[in-house]
Amino acid sequence: MPNNIQQQSLLPRTSTQFEIDLEQTGFFANRPPEDFKFQWIWNPWFCPVDLLPWLAWSLDVDEFNHDWPIQRKREVIAAAPLINRKKGTIESMRRVIRAAGLGEMTFVENSGHWAEYDVTFENHFTIDQYNNAVNLLYYTSSARNKLRIVKYEQTLLYNNKALYNGEYLYGSL
């Protein structure tokens, strides 16, 4: 066996030839690149794409969609520690909505009851985006608070008329 392979073995010197052969076949199949640094696994900007869902799970990302573009996945994961550190605050709710690419919003607290709040988004949403936003707000807000109403400031226009095709939401829910 060549010396460079023998130095990379994790087996003890008393290993059988079969164990050595078995280790070497698996070693080269799953070996990381030579310039790979294992601390990159914990960095959302350098983590391999295949490991991003595991990094999101380990950093307690509340909403992670496998269909998102890679850049959005990395942004959501990068924002997770700060969001989790300030979870329950309005700022963390704004950060999680921005990280998910859902735009800007304003909050109105004490809108009828001390534990209720209203949210007004500046852009229009599809039904899926609305459901995603409500889930993100639910997971990020304080447990005692309740989302009362979601409003939209902007409607989707086509030829200066509102588009009503059932895909977008308008007004408030």
Side-chain angles (χ1 to χ4, degrees):
M1 186 181 324
N3 284 340
N4 63 348
I5 294 175
Q6 205 168 27
Q7 292 172 351
Q8 296 173 353
S9 176
L10 298 175
L11 295 174
R13 286 184 234 183
T14 57
S15 301
T16 66
Q17 187 61 42
F18 175 73
E19 291 170 333
I20 293 169
D21 293 343
L22 188 62
E23 180 205 28
Q24 292 304 315
T25 57
F27 179 74
F28 287 110
N30 298 319
R31 186 173 179 196
E34 291 292 328
D35 59 345
F36 183 77
K37 295 178 175 54
F38 282 96
Q39 62 264 32
W40 287 353
I41 292 173
W42 288 99
N43 186 331
W45 305 110
F46 295 115
C47 182
V49 175
D50 297 341
L51 299 178
L52 285 176
W54 297 104
L55 180 59
W57 172 79
S58 65
L59 293 178
D60 195 24
V61 173
D62 291 324
E63 190 75 23
F64 187 82
N65 190 338
H66 296 282
D67 297 330
W68 283 343
I70 294 170
Q71 184 65 23
R72 165 122 9 112
K73 290 179 186 178
R74 293 184 187 280
E75 289 169 357
V76 167
I77 293 170
L82 186 57
I83 289 168
N84 289 331
R85 206 173 307 135
K86 297 184 178 229
K87 210 168 211 176
T89 65
I90 292 175
E91 185 57 32
S92 70
M93 295 166 77
R94 281 194 177 109
R95 284 181 191 270
V96 75
I97 293 295
R98 280 185 206 133
L102 298 174
E104 295 295 323
M105 62 186 170
T106 56
F107 286 89
V108 177
E109 295 182 288
N110 301 330
S111 54
H113 185 266
W114 69 272
E116 293 179 341
Y117 64 96
D118 298 346
V119 177
T120 303
F121 286 96
E122 295 177 2
N123 54 340
H124 57 273
F125 280 159
T126 64
I127 294 172
D128 290 338
Q129 289 172 326
Y130 166 78
N131 292 331
N132 187 24
V134 170
N135 285 337
L136 290 172
L137 291 171
Y138 174 76
Y139 288 122
T140 311
S141 71
S142 177
R144 70 175 185 270
N145 291 343
K146 180 183 172 193
L147 176 62
R148 191 173 72 104
I149 195 166
V150 176
K151 298 178 186 175
Y152 308 93
E153 299 233 334
Q154 185 183 76
T155 60
L156 184 64
L157 297 178
Y158 178 74
N159 290 339
N160 291 328
K161 294 182 180 178
L163 180 63
Y164 296 104
N165 64 357
E167 184 180 348
Y168 289 91
L169 300 171
Y170 302 99
S172 61
L173 294 172

